[in-house]
Each structure stands twice: as C-alpha cells, then as structure tokens.
Amino acid sequence: MAAQNPDPIQPDAPFKNNTYYQILYVEPSQEKNERITTSILAKTRGNTSNNGQTSNNTHAQSFNQFELDEETINNLENYPRRKKDPKNQLSSYLPSSGVVFPQGFIDSFSKEDQQTELGNFYVPMRTLLHSRKLSQLIAKTWWSYLEAKEKGLQDKFAAGEWDAIDSNILDGLIAREIFLYGGGDAPDNPDPDDPSIYSPLKPKERPSEKARFLILPSSRAWQGISLSLLLAGQAYYKRGDKYHQISQPILSTGEITIQYSLEVDWNRLNGDIKEIIISQEKPWVAYQVVIPYPTIPADAEQENIHKWAYAKEDPEEERNFPFYKKDGDEYLIDVDYFRPPYPYIPLTCT
C-alpha cells in the first residue's frame, strides 16, 4: 500500500472528539550519536471528560489537552480552524489544512462560474504552492545549519540544550534531522499508548463511530511517517511546558493519509512524483513523492538561501520573490516565484 485507503468517514467525523489523529513528537536524544528522538502520538482530537483543560503531558488522552506556545499560535493565525475551537489547543488545527490561499485569491478565480474556474486552476496552483513551500523548507534547514555552525550552536543542539537556541534556528535543525533520517527510517517510538488504535490494520468497510485519520503501520507511507507529519504541520517539540510546531502545514492530513507516500533522495536537486497502483481489486492509485535533500553545495550563498527561505507569498509583503501576482488590489489568476531564483537550491517536485 502507498498512503492507504482511508476508513469510510462520515461528513462530520473530522471534528468529532473521538476521531483519531497522529502527531510527531520530537525531543533531544539521550543516545551519543543521535540528536533527536521521535515518537508517534496517536490520540483522539478531543475528550469531553477533561472540561477543556490543557496539559503538557504526552500521556494525556487527547490532543485538546496539548497547549501551544504563543509563537505557534501566531504562525497559525491565517490557517483555518472552527470559530469555537480555542487558538491555544493543538486539536484546533486538526485535521491539517495544508497550504492555504488568501480569500482574495480564491475570489479572483471567477465571479460568475466559480466551480469551472476552481476546477481549472485550484489544483495546479496548489501544487505549485506545495513546490515553493517545500523548497523554502529545505532552504530553511540549510540556513539553520549554516547559522548554527557560524554561531557555535551545534554542540548545544547535540547536547539537548534546546532552550539556548532561537526557535527559528532550532526548527530548521530539527527539520534537517527529519530530512536526513525520517524519510527512510521508522520513528524511534512508533507505538501509541494504546496499540489497539491501529487495529484493524486494514481499513474498515463501513463508517465507524471512531474515525481514524492515521497512517497505519501496514501502509507503505509508514516508513516516511516522520517526514509526512512534518510536512502536514503535525510535528512538535516542547518549549517550556507548551508545544511548538516545527513547520507550518504544507500538505493536508488527507493528503498524507490518503494520497502521498514520501521519501527522501540525498543525491538530487529536483524531486519526482510517481503514480502507484495500490490494489488491483479497486482502482486505488496513490503517489510516491521523492523529495530532494542534497548536501549543501559550496557555491550556495547563505544570504541567498535565507532570502528564499523566508520570502513571503503576497507581493504587498514581498518585493523580490512573491508567489502571487496582483493588478492593483486584485489577485490575478497567475503565480510568480514557485521555484527558487538561485542555483543549487532544490526545486522539489515536478
């Protein structure tokens, strides 16, 4: 199997308290030759018995007990959540939306026949935004590594002194470790507190009272689950007693559990997407995505890496490398920089 065929899901299931999700929880490693330890936490979205209280305990029963830090809350300001969901709860951002378009850009597709225009332009432009965001994330990991090396922070990172490292640099260093190892290795601690969450391993035939938005251990995507959860914005570590999101969503929860199986290639500068037939019994088809993560070339300039990594999408915020195009205040049905403007920086998937 690639991602996997999902359990049949009722329309309101994604936001129910008893629906299961996964996150990648990252912490400093106690092993001499490793820098991070990764655990898969599989829990329900919410639990009505906790009265909405949050907790810093990874053994909490549900994700609405996981409290986010202020920086994560600010980073997720433009990502969708239900109005009644508190901003400070991790569960409020499950399922992950993946990349989001500004409403003005969506409105620009058509004022007369929006369904036709959305069908023509939404998916390809979303794919181009995926490409840009992936390339920028790789650039962030490169810049963080070079910055940490320049400032002498590598020993602190290896020693687990994460509080001494600025979160922008630390996020990139952790993401780098996931790119180096998470695209080919299973997590260090793959089992949830209750292994029966994954039972049965094969999707159910009929909708269950407890839906699951999970990558199952029987799935081909399990080997790259750490990378999948990172790209869906479902990867966290602790800053103090609160949870900090390592990277904002690029892929959605649905895409990592249904559509894509991810892996990393350390010997290329461009990515690849291959169609995979999952089962001959039904026309189930998914996609294996190979993401490039080469060694940082000597000719890649740190200043240029930083400019690309932190470029904004909107031309009102970004003069050099905006993703969107505008005519005055109106978004055009077109995009600009979806690939890096500099050589040596990976292009991601084509």
Side-chain angles (χ1 to χ4, degrees):
M1 299 175 72
Q4 75 259 345
N5 309 331
D7 297 329
I9 295 169
Q10 298 287 0
D12 60 344
F15 300 103
K16 283 188 173 181
N17 283 341
N18 60 3
T19 297
Y20 284 102
Y21 290 94
Q22 293 161 316
I23 69 164
L24 180 74
Y25 176 62
V26 183
E27 54 192 328
S29 176
Q30 303 300 316
E31 300 294 329
K32 184 176 180 180
N33 297 321
E34 297 178 1
R35 294 179 179 85
I36 65 172
T37 296
T38 55
S39 302
I40 301 298
L41 306 184
K43 302 178 185 296
T44 55
R45 186 178 189 272
N47 189 331
T48 55
S49 65
N50 63 31
N51 297 319
Q53 294 179 352
T54 56
S55 168
N56 63 3
N57 184 1
T58 58
H59 295 288
Q61 293 181 346
S62 57
F63 286 128
N64 70 343
Q65 296 176 279
F66 286 50
E67 186 171 1
L68 301 177
D69 69 350
E70 196 65 33
E71 184 177 352
T72 297
I73 295 170
N74 292 336
N75 288 338
L76 291 171
E77 182 65 31
N78 295 321
Y79 287 84
R81 62 179 175 82
R82 294 191 305 173
K83 290 182 179 180
K84 68 177 184 179
D85 288 343
K87 289 184 178 180
N88 66 327
Q89 292 181 3
L90 190 156
S91 60
S92 299
Y93 305 95
L94 294 174
S96 166
S97 64
V99 294
V100 293
F101 290 129
Q103 188 58 47
F105 185 64
I106 296 294
D107 293 342
S108 71
F109 283 158
S110 176
K111 295 181 180 178
E112 296 181 3
D113 191 353
Q114 193 157 342
Q115 291 299 319
T116 299
E117 297 301 327
L118 283 173
N120 276 288
F121 300 109
Y122 182 86
V123 172
M125 289 184 176
R126 181 178 168 86
T127 301
L128 292 177
L129 187 51
H130 283 161
S131 184
R132 172 182 168 116
K133 288 287 194 179
L134 275 168
S135 179
Q136 287 185 290
L137 178 57
I138 292 170
K140 286 177 184 178
T141 69
W142 282 13
W143 176 82
S144 295
Y145 172 77
L146 295 173
E147 191 76 359
K149 187 176 180 181
E150 190 176 281
K151 295 183 176 180
L153 298 174
Q154 290 176 307
D155 289 342
K156 291 184 181 296
F157 179 60
E161 298 175 20
W162 291 5
D163 289 341
I165 304 174
D166 178 81
S167 60
N168 282 333
I169 297 175
L170 181 57
D171 292 348
L173 292 176
I174 294 174
R176 181 175 182 270
E177 293 296 312
I178 295 173
F179 272 106
L180 288 174
Y181 303 105
D185 296 333
D188 300 307
N189 302 306
D191 296 324
D193 295 331
D194 179 9
S196 66
I197 292 171
Y198 292 141
S199 181
L201 291 176
K202 291 185 177 181
K204 305 177 183 72
E205 291 297 325
R206 295 182 178 180
S208 169
E209 194 172 307
K210 294 183 179 181
R212 301 179 299 177
F213 280 90
L214 306 176
I215 295 175
L216 300 178
S218 58
S219 164
R220 179 170 183 167
W222 180 262
Q223 191 171 16
I225 188 173
S226 297
L227 185 61
S228 293
L229 292 173
L230 172 71
L231 297 188
Q234 293 172 224
Y236 296 84
Y237 63 91
K238 280 186 182 176
R239 296 291 277 186
D241 62 351
K242 297 182 180 180
Y243 289 84
H244 177 86
Q245 188 181 55
I246 298 169
S247 179
Q248 287 72 61
I250 297 175
L251 300 177
S252 69
T253 301
E255 285 167 328
I256 66 167
T257 58
I258 300 172
Q259 189 172 6
Y260 294 125
S261 171
L262 305 183
E263 64 179 75
V264 176
D265 191 321
W266 300 276
N267 298 303
R268 58 165 70 185
L269 286 167
N270 64 296
D272 191 24
I273 298 178
K274 294 187 293 184
E275 189 176 80
I276 299 174
I277 298 177
I278 301 174
S279 171
Q280 297 292 347
E281 297 177 3
K282 295 179 180 180
W284 292 118
V285 176
Y287 300 91
Q288 181 182 20
V289 179
V290 181
I291 298 175
Y293 198 77
T295 302
I296 305 174
D299 291 332
E301 298 183 12
Q302 187 171 347
E303 181 181 355
N304 292 342
I305 294 173
H306 182 269
K307 284 181 180 179
W308 173 242
Y310 289 93
K312 305 293 184 182
E313 286 107 56
D314 199 292
E316 292 181 4
E317 301 178 74
E318 177 65 34
R319 297 180 60 185
N320 296 315
F321 314 124
F323 178 74
Y324 303 105
K325 291 184 177 181
K326 279 186 172 181
D327 182 10
D329 294 330
E330 294 286 328
Y331 286 94
L332 302 178
I333 306 178
D334 195 5
V335 297
D336 206 343
Y337 287 90
F338 61 88
R339 57 188 293 173
Y342 304 110
Y344 308 116
I345 299 176
L347 302 176
T348 71
C349 298
T350 57

